[in-house]
Amino acid sequence: MNEISLPQREAPDSLMLYGFWYRALPGKQVGGRHLQKTMLLETPLAIGRDGQGRAFALHDACPHRGMPLSHGLFDGQQVECSYHGWRFDGHTGQCTLIPSLTADQKLKIDRIYAGSYPCEEHDDFIWVFVPQLPPAGAGFTKATDAPMPAPRVPTFSEKYKLAYLTADLPCSVDHGIIGLMDPAHGPFVHQAWWWRSRDSIHEKQKNFEPIPNGFRMSAHTPSSNSAPYKLLRLYADAESITTTIDFVLPNLRLETIRAGKYWFSSLTTVTPITRSHCRIDVVAAWNIFRWLPLGPQLLKFVFAKFVEQDRQTMEQQSEGLKYNPHLMLIDDADRPAKWYFGLKAAHLEAKRTGGEMKHPLPGPVTLKWRS
Ligand code: FES
Ligand SMILES: [Fe+2]
């Protein structure tokens, strides 16, 4: 069989994008005299919090002989490696002490760095900027600042509530992301008696437009199928409700629903941990139900249900993906997934050539599907 007679293979490439901010951990998992071990893009990290509460992220391997610094001692400012006692500043990674040196040995220890990464904490999460991989064997130098601030959950009033959910997914970041933007699985995966049955499947039409590094499902009155929408309808008449969903590289899904002075927004990320494992984190903010004690629990319940259904589905899917099956993406339901791969490829190509990124969406487009 020749290549042309086969449908185009559209397999995720599992490439991870460096040079972006990623959610590392929920902030409450980090504190005290302990460095929390974690991983982003196959990069081992030791995350800590200094005496003033500021989070930092170090490469979790001592520049001397590779002992994970997360096994070391932390005094609130400096980390002491558990193997030979070298000490490093938590924020800069700069070496401050090598106990084995004698007074006449003039090694310039301040030129030695444990790798450190730009680190910010927002909306209950610690974010880490993962830079382009350094050339192999280059060693660590002083960390450079991130070129942009970490993403935030959009908010539209001074007072609001915030909650998050997190789940590990046993698949590559690409399957995690296209699973997130896929509209056609809804009636089959997200069934619940209080939500919808598969018989409620109907034709939908949505407008999309290109935005920098991503695409937007344009502001529209939601037809029926976003989780907080049914709840918002208790507060405002259906026509005044608008929702916008953005996808932005490398892994951000922003949903904003507004109904008069009420709003709900969420920032969902699918973070590559390794090539074959990712994590989904949903952080939501809202100013509805603030007076209602059960409101947040209700929202969390609805979201937890959805995320768990997706997680289970992807766990089952990973059995099928293990042996590298042939995959295909169809129009229009899988078009957002195609755009995602297009954006990724365009981003990498622009990086390679140093030129402008060629956006895969030339302009606004309407997609139709049944879900
Ligand atoms: S490996 Fe860390 S001090 Fe030697
Ligand atoms: Fe889903």
Side-chain angles (χ1 to χ4, degrees):
M1 257 194 286
N2 66 40
E3 286 258 299
I4 300 145
S5 68
L6 292 167
Q8 195 63 49
R9 192 174 175 93
E10 299 262 14
D13 52 18
S14 304
L15 269 179
M16 302 181 288
L17 297 182
Y18 294 82
F20 288 100
W21 285 96
Y22 288 97
R23 272 182 180 141
L25 284 173
K28 71 171 186 206
Q29 290 182 14
V30 178
R33 301 285 151 101
H34 166 75
L35 300 190
Q36 183 68 43
K37 225 177 166 51
T38 189
M39 181 167 275
L40 288 177
L41 288 75
E42 294 184 341
T43 304
L45 299 172
I47 313 261
R49 196 185 281 292
D50 67 19
Q52 284 77 52
R54 279 173 57 228
F56 61 85
L58 291 172
H59 197 77
D60 198 16
C62 178
H64 180 214
R65 299 252 301 280
M67 175 62 77
L69 291 173
S70 53
H71 292 313
L73 287 176
F74 177 57
D75 66 3
Q77 200 191 337
Q78 297 191 4
V79 184
E80 182 185 284
C81 180
S82 62
Y83 204 172
H84 312 94
W86 291 23
R87 294 178 74 96
F88 305 94
D89 179 83
H91 286 284
T92 62
Q94 192 169 33
C95 183
T96 56
L97 178 76
I98 295 182
S100 66
L101 290 177
T102 60
D104 59 326
Q105 291 171 339
K106 298 290 180 229
L107 180 65
K108 291 199 167 65
I109 61 167
D110 56 348
R111 292 205 190 155
I112 298 172
Y113 285 88
S116 76
Y117 299 88
C119 190
E120 285 183 16
E121 189 166 7
H122 302 297
D123 311 324
D124 288 350
F125 269 84
I126 293 172
W127 292 74
V128 170
F129 182 80
V130 184
Q132 268 334 293
L133 288 177
F140 294 111
T141 52
K142 202 170 157 47
T144 46
D145 290 338
M148 66 291 221
R152 305 286 304 258
V153 181
T155 56
F156 305 94
S157 57
E158 215 146 89
K159 290 192 171 161
Y160 55 86
K161 296 236 180 209
L162 197 85
Y164 72 83
L165 277 175
T166 171
D168 288 310
L169 304 178
C171 60
S172 76
V173 66
D174 290 339
H175 277 294
I177 285 176
I178 68 176
L180 191 71
M181 55 179 60
D182 155 25
H185 74 288
F188 301 93
V189 172
H190 299 301
Q191 293 176 36
W193 61 264
W194 43 267
W195 187 246
R196 63 177 296 171
S197 71
R198 57 191 286 175
D199 301 329
S200 67
I201 191 164
H202 61 280
E203 186 168 320
K204 287 175 190 157
Q205 183 168 325
K206 299 275 154 79
N207 299 321
F208 291 82
E209 59 191 289
I211 56 174
N213 267 326
F215 53 87
R216 166 170 298 167
M217 189 193 281
S218 319
H220 62 285
T221 302
S223 54
S224 67
N225 73 7
S226 110
Y229 169 72
K230 290 191 174 182
L231 303 171
L232 264 170
R233 226 170 30 185
L234 307 171
Y235 286 83
D237 56 285
E239 287 74 62
S240 78
I241 304 177
T242 62
T243 170
T244 306
I245 300 175
D246 287 356
F247 174 80
V248 181
L249 282 182
N251 66 345
L252 312 168
R253 180 192 191 270
L254 291 126
E255 178 165 9
T256 303
I257 305 176
R258 305 196 65 169
K261 63 179 179 172
Y262 296 111
W263 57 270
F264 171 94
S265 79
S266 62
L267 173 56
T268 302
T269 51
V270 179
T271 302
I273 309 299
T274 66
R275 247 158 238 278
S276 56
H277 179 202
C278 61
R279 193 189 63 232
I280 183 167
D281 302 305
V282 185
V283 179
W286 64 88
N287 75 340
I288 42 170
F289 309 120
R290 284 203 309 114
W291 47 269
L292 188 90
L294 272 180
Q297 279 88 331
L298 189 63
L299 268 179
K300 228 177 154 162
F301 170 81
V302 171
F303 266 83
K305 193 103 184 167
F306 271 63
V307 170
E308 178 53 20
Q309 288 167 337
D310 283 329
R311 195 198 59 75
Q312 255 177 36
T313 303
M314 289 179 194
E315 195 169 294
Q316 293 167 349
Q317 183 194 17
S318 71
E319 293 166 32
L321 290 174
K322 235 184 255 167
Y323 306 103
N324 204 19
H326 189 96
L327 306 175
M328 61 178 88
L329 297 173
I330 64 161
D331 285 328
D332 284 351
D334 294 326
R335 193 87 71 83
K338 292 185 181 181
W339 292 335
Y340 164 66
F341 289 118
L343 281 166
K344 219 171 146 176
H347 169 82
L348 290 169
E349 180 61 11
K351 259 202 159 149
R352 197 181 62 79
T353 60
E356 282 267 301
M357 176 168 155
K358 266 180 77 191
H359 203 292
L361 266 91
V365 21
T366 302
L367 301 186
K368 294 199 308 186
W369 63 76
R370 282 167 48 81
S371 69

